[in-house]
Amino acid sequence: MPRGKLGRMKVETPDEETARRYLLWLPGERLHHEPETLPRISSQALFGPFRSDAPLELEIGCGTGEFLRSRAESRPGTNFVGVDLHVKSLYRAVSGAAERELDNVLFVRADFNLLYPLLVPESLAAAYLLFPDPGMKERQRRRRIFSGRFLQEMHEALETGGRLVAVTDHEEYFCRMVELAERAEGWGLAPDEGFDDSAPQTRFGSLWEGRGRSANALTLVKK
Ligand SMILES: C[S@@+](CC[C@H](N)C(=O)[O-])C[C@H]1O[C@@H](n2cnc3c(N)ncnc32)[C@H](O)[C@@H]1O
């Protein structure tokens, strides 16, 4: 099956109160021209006074949010932020979090490539990039999230010892990730234990597994 046709989603728009609680919309225009007017990606700015000291984990391209929701349920002492561009996926992620009344997860609609100015140095305990779009055309490949700049920005945003986990079923993208990671400074290479078999599945992880495609994981640790 072609990559772009993995099922159509029927999703209900969350009510106003649920959207206000779980969804933050950061328009590209404002991210581009006036990022200083927007809240930063930190526990303090996004989770209110009672959770402002909790560690923060970030998922980039969180899609329908299964991974984050499961982690948020099993780690109530940690805050989780999921970023994605696709509004219907985020509506589904939001409704999953609202059904469970989670108070430690928030979803951000934004282009992650424009979000760098809102990241706070040394603020993330972990960051996940799970089954990112590999891009079919050369132009799309140039806009891949995992890049030299991505590694630099994530290095700055992670705490020392913080983990960056990237998982993909796409072999060429994985080789490129490893190549970029080997060239980047300030990272240690961890074995796969940062994303083991007990890690919660993502929607695309399950879909590809069901079609017999295996995935590779790269876990980097900030030195
Ligand atoms: C193949 S899906 C994987 C979703 C989820 N991680 C999973 O494994 O089920 C890739 C996701 O990345 C999102 N995405 C692609 N480019 C993005 C960008 N520049 N900023 C934020 N999200 C992006 C897409 O909207 C899509 O939801």
Side-chain angles (χ1 to χ4, degrees):
M1 180 178 259
R3 298 192 74 90
K5 295 195 176 166
L6 281 170
R8 299 198 185 279
M9 261 190 289
K10 264 197 168 173
V11 185
E12 281 186 25
T13 309
D15 63 69
E16 228 174 275
E17 196 190 326
T18 306
R20 207 176 314 119
R21 178 166 178 195
Y22 287 106
L23 187 61
L24 178 65
W25 203 306
L26 300 179
E29 273 285 285
R30 288 191 62 194
L31 279 169
H32 197 67
H33 294 294
E34 42 182 12
E36 68 288 352
T37 65
L38 298 168
R40 304 196 74 187
I41 305 299
S42 69
S43 281
Q44 215 171 13
L46 301 178
F47 287 90
F50 298 115
R51 302 199 57 88
S52 64
D53 291 332
L56 182 64
E57 297 193 3
L58 174 71
E59 188 186 355
I60 302 140
C62 63
T64 40
E66 288 81 1
F67 173 77
L68 223 53
R69 191 176 67 224
S70 170
R71 260 187 103 68
E73 277 184 302
S74 63
R75 298 188 175 216
T78 299
N79 292 330
F80 295 88
V81 170
V83 179
D84 206 288
L85 271 171
H86 189 242
V87 74
K88 275 194 184 178
S89 299
L90 287 172
Y91 283 167
R92 188 179 274 191
V94 162
S95 84
E99 268 166 30
R100 290 156 184 84
E101 297 187 8
L102 296 173
D103 66 353
N104 58 339
V105 65
L106 179 81
F107 296 96
V108 174
R109 187 188 180 202
D111 179 344
F112 190 74
N113 292 318
L114 298 177
L115 209 67
Y116 293 134
L118 301 191
L119 299 179
V120 177
E122 300 271 337
S123 65
L124 299 177
Y128 304 91
L129 179 66
L130 309 176
F131 301 93
D133 293 325
M136 303 306 282
K137 298 183 180 147
E138 184 47 37
R139 183 174 45 84
Q140 294 165 332
R141 287 179 186 215
R142 280 201 298 271
R143 284 192 52 77
R144 279 175 174 173
I145 289 176
F146 198 108
S147 64
R149 176 170 184 203
F150 172 75
L151 280 173
Q152 266 175 18
E153 299 277 358
M154 298 319 295
H155 189 272
E156 199 175 318
L158 282 162
E159 302 162 355
T160 302
R163 283 167 180 262
L164 173 62
V165 180
V167 180
T168 179
D169 59 292
H170 192 276
E171 273 191 32
E172 183 271 329
Y173 197 0
F174 183 71
C175 291
R176 182 70 185 141
M177 288 176 179
V178 172
E179 198 180 299
L180 287 166
E182 280 171 352
R183 259 192 256 154
E185 286 182 15
W187 295 101
L189 198 59
D192 275 4
E193 88 256 17
F195 197 80
D196 59 25
D197 289 344
S198 62
Q201 263 293 16
T202 72
R203 177 164 174 259
F204 273 77
S206 309
L207 284 165
W208 292 132
E209 198 177 271
R211 288 176 172 76
R213 289 180 73 102
S214 57
N216 287 304
L218 173 68
T219 303
L220 301 172
V221 181
K222 176 172 169 174
K223 284 188 192 159

